[in-house]
Amino acid sequence: EESARRIVKVELLERPANASEARVVDQADATLTSDGVPTEVTFERQPDAAGEFEYSLRVAGTGLAESRDDDNLKGRMVNVFDRPLRILMIAGGPMRDFQFAKNALHRHKSMQVDIWLQTGEPGISQDASEILFEFPATREDLFRYDVVMAFDPDWSIISDEARELLEEWVTEFGGGVVLVAGHVYTPQLTAIDPQREPGWQPVLNLYPVVLDEVGLSLGQQPGSTRVHPLGLTQAGAAAEFLQLTDDPASAHEVWEDFPGVYRCYPTRARKGGATVYAAVTDRLARGRNGQPVLLAGQRYGLGSGLYLGSPEVWRLRSLDETYYDRFWVKLVRKAAEGRLKRGLERAVLLLEGRDYEIGQSAPLRARVVDVNFKPLRDAAIEVQVYDPSGPPIIPPPQRTQDRKRPGAF
């Protein structure tokens, strides 16, 4: 039995995003057995500063004759954030998913949750950092959030100016939105003609799908009487934020065991560039435009939009409450990716490519705002370029302001 065990050394390597080489920051011994059962090794690491790091695990000195050794090193990028995620949750009513998700996120130490329950009145009691009774009134109030979650909200009581500001926060400042469809207020979006009511267009742009009208044909039973199983697409099965267990190999089993939802909002189309992660698979739920999309996402400018077609994810709690909590935590972090990577900086530099030939021009775009998130005037901007040896290039490059986009150069 002892001969069937082998002790190997596992090293943890850390490489900051701006460094070219990784260094070993910790190591531990792991005992391998001949039956091939996975062995867990745990490391705790507290970086000295916030930023993006690549962490890798390397198995060293196995003492075995291996046909390949390139699988003894595996890495993953980790974004270390030095402040809690700021989340604004808006709900058209006290639906279950709003209540359960709010509690799960509010309990999480790395998240700060403010809520606006649109049916709420002054004096209500809610587990939240702050209770609002209207949409954020100023740019400063809205732009301090990283994610806005909208649970079947009544968009009609949000002004045209606020909807336009929300779109700008996503496209220009990396904000993330999570849009949960329902059957109370979501149908109003399908009745809107953007040509006649252009003030609704910014909201419609944020959805990665085109919503369809809700109808009931003669002889059909309401969809709420039958449970509809969901199916992950290839993109959904590979998505890390949908893996709700610690073992990626068994993560798909959670969604296979999930019974499904009774209602999923019908979709007419999927927008170009959108990624569908899950759809309803029951053939009886199929509409004229195919299976209803249950979960989809899209990159939109610097930010992103995630769409959830049913307010019934709370049924996941019947399997394990931990799965449910992880779903919302990981979904919010997915929505906040653009914000965490570059949406918080007041100056953002964007290259149109990553590889250039010698002598080729490298177009560089910059977006610059002041402390109030308003476009910074041209006279306050200086650009310096440094060559690999260190000294700045003289004369500095000339900047050209984008006439259509204030603060863009």
Side-chain angles (χ1 to χ4, degrees), residues 55-307:
Y55 285 99
S56 302
L57 291 178
R58 180 171 64 193
V59 178
T62 64
L64 300 174
E66 301 184 69
S67 60
R68 52 179 296 186
D69 58 5
D70 57 347
D71 58 350
N72 290 344
L73 176 68
K74 187 172 184 179
R76 174 173 295 182
M77 296 302 297
V78 176
N79 206 313
V80 179
F81 213 36
D82 59 356
R83 66 165 180 81
L85 276 178
R86 298 188 178 101
I87 304 167
L88 172 60
M89 299 183 70
I90 304 172
M95 61 180 63
R96 292 184 181 181
D97 257 335
F98 164 71
Q99 296 288 354
F100 290 141
K102 172 181 63 67
N103 294 338
L105 298 176
H106 180 64
R107 291 193 302 261
H108 205 280
K109 294 181 179 179
S110 68
M111 299 185 181
Q112 177 181 311
V113 180
D114 296 345
I115 69 164
W116 176 28
L117 179 59
Q118 293 178 313
T119 57
E121 298 180 354
I124 63 172
S125 176
Q126 294 283 324
D127 289 333
S129 299
E130 184 178 351
I131 299 176
L132 308 181
F133 295 97
E134 62 180 0
F135 194 81
T138 65
R139 295 172 65 89
E140 295 79 8
D141 290 340
L142 175 60
F143 287 16
R144 67 190 177 100
Y145 292 108
D146 302 302
V147 177
V148 172
M149 306 177 70
F151 291 78
D152 192 23
D154 184 358
W155 293 105
S156 67
I157 62 176
I158 300 176
S159 68
D160 291 354
E161 294 75 16
R163 298 182 204 136
E164 185 176 352
L165 192 61
L166 178 65
E167 183 185 33
E168 180 187 354
W169 168 75
V170 174
T171 59
E172 300 295 332
F173 297 93
V177 291
V178 178
L179 306 163
V180 182
H183 285 70
V184 178
Y185 295 111
T186 302
Q188 69 182 343
L189 296 175
T190 65
I192 296 298
D193 182 358
Q195 298 295 329
R196 301 176 59 182
E197 300 179 83
W200 287 84
Q201 190 63 59
V203 169
L204 298 174
N205 290 341
L206 297 177
Y207 283 78
V209 297
V210 179
L211 301 172
D212 202 355
E213 296 180 356
V214 176
L216 185 63
S217 302
L218 290 177
Q220 276 191 327
Q221 294 183 344
S224 59
T225 63
R226 181 184 179 89
V227 65
H228 303 299
L230 66 89
L232 295 180
T233 63
Q234 185 175 7
E240 194 279 332
F241 76 96
L242 290 178
Q243 296 179 4
L244 306 184
T245 67
D246 295 327
D247 180 12
S250 63
H252 67 281
E253 297 177 1
V254 174
W255 296 110
E256 290 178 355
D257 294 338
F258 180 56
V261 298
Y262 282 84
R263 292 186 298 178
C264 184
Y265 203 90
T267 49
R268 183 180 305 169
R270 308 160 187 189
K271 294 182 179 177
T275 301
V276 175
Y277 298 103
V280 170
T281 59
D282 191 338
R283 288 181 297 177
L284 294 179
R286 183 179 179 86
R288 57 184 177 180
N289 301 298
Q291 300 298 136
V293 174
L294 185 63
L295 181 60
Q298 69 173 352
R299 299 297 303 175
Y300 192 56
L302 295 181
S304 63
L306 289 170
Y307 166 79

Side-chain angles (χ1 to χ4, degrees), residues 391-407:
I393 297 176
I394 300 176
Q398 295 182 352
R399 61 189 182 278
T400 303
Q401 186 168 6
D402 189 333
R403 296 181 179 180
K404 297 181 179 180
R405 302 176 64 187

